[in-house]
Amino acid sequence: MHPIFRLCLCVFFLSGFLPVGEAVAEGAGDTPAGLGAEWKGKVLVVPLSGDVLGGGRSGRDLERLLDEAEMAKAAGLVFDINMSESADLAAQNRLLDRISRITLPTVAYVNANATGAGALIALATDAIYLSRGGIIGGAGLRKAGTKPEGDADDPATAGSGREDLAREESVLRARARSLAGTKGHRPDVAEAFIDASVEVRIGDAVVSEKGEVLTLTAEEAVRVFEGKPLLAKGIVDSVEELLAAEDLPTEFERISPRAYGEMSSRTKLTRSEGAGRKESGEATEAEEEEEAGDLPLFGRRDDTNYKGKIVILKVGMDTLATGEASFDFMDRTLKKAEMEGAEAIIFDMDTPGGFAWHTEGLVLSSLQNVSLPTYTFVNPRAESAGAIIAMGTDHIYMRPAATIGSALVVSGTGQDLNESMADKVTQMIIGTVRNVAELKGHNPDIAEAFVTRNKEVRIDGVLVHEAGNVLNLNSVRATEVIGGRPVLAKGIARDLEDLVAQESLSGEIVEATPLGMEAFAHWVQKLSFLLIIVGLAGAYLEMNTPGFGFPGIVSVCAFGLFFFGNHLAGNLAGYELVVLLVVGLILIAVEIFLFPGTIVAGVAGVSMVLAALGLAMVDRVDLEWKWSGLPGSVEWSTLFENSLVSLAAGLVGALVVILLGMRFLPETRLGNRLVLAGAVPGGASLSPSSGADRDGIVGSGAATSYLGREGEATTDLRPSGKGTFGGALLDVISEGEFIPRGGPLRVIRHEGSRIVVERRREEESEAEA
């Protein structure tokens, strides 16, 4: 019996990729529109401290603030500088480049201290002012920061460190001269801030002698040489005084990079509230409840057709931690959606994690074999294995308050693995996540940092994550744009409808929810071989028992559970195979009871039974996937492997049970009841025309022994049947031997109501005659 295969026409829709925000400059793609709308015509005062130099969040917030200020057409920028820290050369150069490219008027206000990188930031502005107690300069690199302590004792290491320092100082001097020349400051003064070997002379005056790095007080900075201030345009006591001196608007707004970042995050998390929703939230909930109520308790997993629909796969708290069944369900749903032409698949994720190996198989195989768009909606957690699954999808969206990451591999009890095992397993998982991240267009370094503590992540020179802990990203950090691309997530969505709207998907949203009998179906799949054993053994015993009794009921129940459970599980079990099984059993009965020895009916019946039982356990979706030649399909041998193993185990088990039953069951009280008691309640059955045999023996069966009596079989004994003994019709059983109707019998045991016979030899029968 072959299943009917459906040929699915796969219709795929090209989803739109809309940016989260409108990019106005590199790195500005996630700036919430309208955040700086009130800045137009105002002067922004931006306090700067050392936290903007670490390549971390404050530095990125400052860059976005500058982008927003330019977009809002602010009147100017005043950098209120109070910093003395040196900085990583790459991070420092990045910040200086950005400040020097600002198209707005820029002014540095050295309120207290602008040494180290602060001096270079001041050089990148159009004008410099100092407070009365302010100082500026001393921008050389710190030697202690170039090499780790203890390396000085190693001549080779110390020499390499000196070369690196000299090279970085050379780059920094060039940068300082360039900034100063571009902004109208004195290049020699800028270079003397860094290099102690530079002497600064203006006319006959020595401003900076060799041997010391130049640092200027406020009075020294405003000292006039040859009609021009040495560095600063003036000394002021307040921002208002500075604005008046520069002839800038007196209305200003003070905002730090950190405050801007927080305001930006709040704006982003609350944007587009309600976008993509239905007109009424209450109506949506009612519709969801109505749809949930329509789920049939005894429905099949694959009843719904996914053509043109958006399929939602919910990944809940324990979905990834309850064993293989959940992953089998997700794998089947992905294949079904691909075959039937779904528009997209969305993983609705709220999970703390689960089994690493099953997850690895899902992201490496199942998710890579579908061609339709796949999404992860972090709602609100995608931790551990959930983060790995998210990396295997095409696009990731976050709820306003959500987290993703922390996929460090641990033991099943949550404890750390031992060192050797941890290294082995971690390297395997790293290979997996980096591979799928590259395939799906995500940053592989982010994926690796999810699963190991030893990964530092930098994007375009910006430090995103320091080594030492596994990475976990919140919604703001995951959607942050660096170098023109989000760190990980494509955007923020308040709910599934919002995500669908942002992606311009148009299909009906359907949820692939495991039905109420899913767990039952799973266990039936696993225990199918036991049901085969019980069903076949019960059927055999029923065939050898007069009437229809307990063995027949057990057999019907076992086969009913077998077909019902496999049908719910989405296997080939259906009405066709049930009919095939019944026809097979009928043919076997015909072979045994009506035409023994014909073989044809028996062979045909056995073949049908085996085919029905074997095909019933084959996964319908996997078979159709293979039949359609879709990618990632298993070999034919693998497809039928589990079914054949379960069938073989069931047949062997049934044979063992039947042989043991034939040997021991007749001697038990239960055997007496099954074989004889149902047909002869009081013991032996006498002919209705006679209450005693010809020898005067009363057939009560309770006090009379038939041991040694001879008679003739009136029915076939298989091994039970009927026979006549001196005119008495009795229910008898052989020791497993088949005795045809009319065969000579001899009673060899009589135990209560149980009469055991054997076939008399032909010589004895002929001698009697």
Side-chain angles (χ1 to χ4, degrees), residues 524-667:
V524 168
Q525 284 181 286
K526 297 297 182 184
L527 301 177
S528 287
F529 73 98
L530 289 178
L531 294 176
I532 292 175
I533 292 173
V534 174
L536 291 178
Y540 178 82
L541 188 57
E542 180 60 35
M543 289 180 184
N544 291 280
T545 302
F548 185 84
F550 183 71
I553 295 174
V554 170
S555 179
V556 170
C557 291
F559 281 130
L561 285 175
F562 174 83
F563 281 96
F564 180 60
N566 278 283
H567 175 75
L568 289 181
N571 294 337
L572 292 179
Y575 300 117
E576 306 95 334
L577 294 183
V578 172
V579 172
L580 186 67
L581 176 71
V582 172
V583 172
L585 292 175
I586 291 174
L587 289 177
I588 292 174
V590 168
E591 170 70 26
I592 294 175
F593 296 111
L594 300 180
F595 306 105
T598 58
I599 299 178
V600 175
V603 170
V606 169
S607 300
M608 289 183 179
V609 169
L610 295 181
L613 295 177
L615 288 174
M617 295 180 285
V618 175
D619 189 282
R620 181 183 300 273
V621 172
D622 283 345
L623 182 59
E624 292 181 350
W625 190 272
K626 177 66 176 178
W627 186 266
S628 302
L630 295 173
S633 59
V634 298
E635 298 296 328
W636 286 106
S637 57
T638 305
L639 181 64
F640 290 100
E641 180 179 2
N642 291 335
S643 174
L644 293 176
V645 169
S646 295
L647 180 59
L651 293 176
V652 172
L655 180 61
V656 171
V657 170
I658 290 171
L659 292 176
L660 291 176
M662 291 171 58
R663 174 65 181 85
F664 297 107
L665 188 60
E667 300 175 1

Side-chain angles (χ1 to χ4, degrees), residues 262-524:
E262 293 174 352
M263 184 166 54
S264 172
S265 298
R266 286 194 298 270
T267 304
K268 177 190 295 185
L269 297 181
T270 57
R271 68 168 179 79
S272 302
E273 184 168 1
R277 293 175 180 266
K278 296 182 180 179
E279 293 183 0
S280 169
E282 292 76 16
T284 300
E285 292 178 2
E287 289 171 7
E288 289 175 353
E289 292 176 1
E290 181 180 352
E291 291 172 1
D294 290 339
L295 289 176
L297 178 64
F298 300 103
R300 293 176 53 132
R301 287 196 293 205
D302 52 3
D303 277 344
T304 303
N305 191 293
Y306 293 152
K307 183 176 182 180
K309 297 179 181 178
I310 303 166
V311 181
I312 307 300
L313 270 170
K314 280 191 174 294
V315 182
M317 292 292 293
D318 59 354
T319 301
L320 306 180
T322 53
E324 193 174 355
S326 297
F327 292 90
D328 288 343
F329 174 74
M330 288 188 285
D331 177 66
R332 287 174 48 79
T333 302
L334 290 170
K335 290 178 177 177
K336 177 178 168 60
E338 173 75 8
M339 287 189 301
E340 296 180 354
E343 183 179 10
I345 293 176
I346 302 176
F347 286 86
D348 188 358
M349 190 87 66
D350 180 16
T351 178
F355 294 114
W357 302 128
H358 296 325
T359 303
E360 185 180 34
L362 182 71
V363 299
L364 279 179
S365 179
S366 304
L367 276 170
Q368 307 312 314
N369 290 332
V370 295
S371 59
L372 60 154
T374 54
Y375 299 83
T376 293
F377 178 42
V378 183
N379 182 26
R381 291 185 301 167
E383 316 294 359
S384 192
I388 296 176
I389 292 176
M391 298 303 292
T393 59
D394 298 313
H395 310 289
I396 301 172
Y397 278 80
M398 311 283 287
R399 272 192 63 180
T403 59
I404 182 173
S406 300
L408 186 70
V409 180
V410 296
S411 68
T413 60
Q415 303 298 315
D416 288 343
L417 301 173
N418 63 60
E419 185 175 353
S420 58
M421 179 60 72
D423 184 62
K424 175 182 178 181
V425 173
T426 299
Q427 292 305 314
M428 294 171 62
I429 298 298
I430 286 174
T432 297
V433 297
R434 288 191 67 92
N435 186 13
V436 298
E438 291 171 355
L439 287 173
K440 294 300 182 178
H442 305 305
N443 189 320
D445 291 339
I446 294 290
E448 182 176 347
F450 279 166
V451 300
T452 178
R453 299 185 178 96
N454 304 321
K455 181 64 178 178
E456 178 185 88
V457 180
R458 287 182 178 270
I459 302 175
D460 284 358
V462 177
L463 179 65
V464 175
H465 174 70
E466 294 181 353
N469 292 292
V470 291
L471 175 61
N472 192 290
L473 298 171
N474 60 26
S475 298
V476 174
R477 293 183 64 198
T479 56
E480 183 179 358
V481 174
I482 301 177
R485 293 184 57 190
V487 170
L488 177 63
K490 190 175 180 181
I492 292 177
R494 300 196 64 81
D495 48 33
L496 288 170
E497 288 78 9
D498 190 10
L499 186 159
V500 168
Q502 291 187 49
E503 286 294 319
S504 299
L505 301 175
S506 58
E508 176 190 355
I509 297 177
V510 295
E511 183 180 331
T513 306
L515 304 178
M517 300 296 288
E518 189 77 19
F520 166 77
H522 170 69
W523 283 110
V524 168

Side-chain angles (χ1 to χ4, degrees), residues 34-48:
L35 184 61
E38 298 181 356
W39 295 350
K40 185 175 182 179
K42 293 183 181 179
V43 174
L44 295 183
V45 178
V46 183
L48 296 183

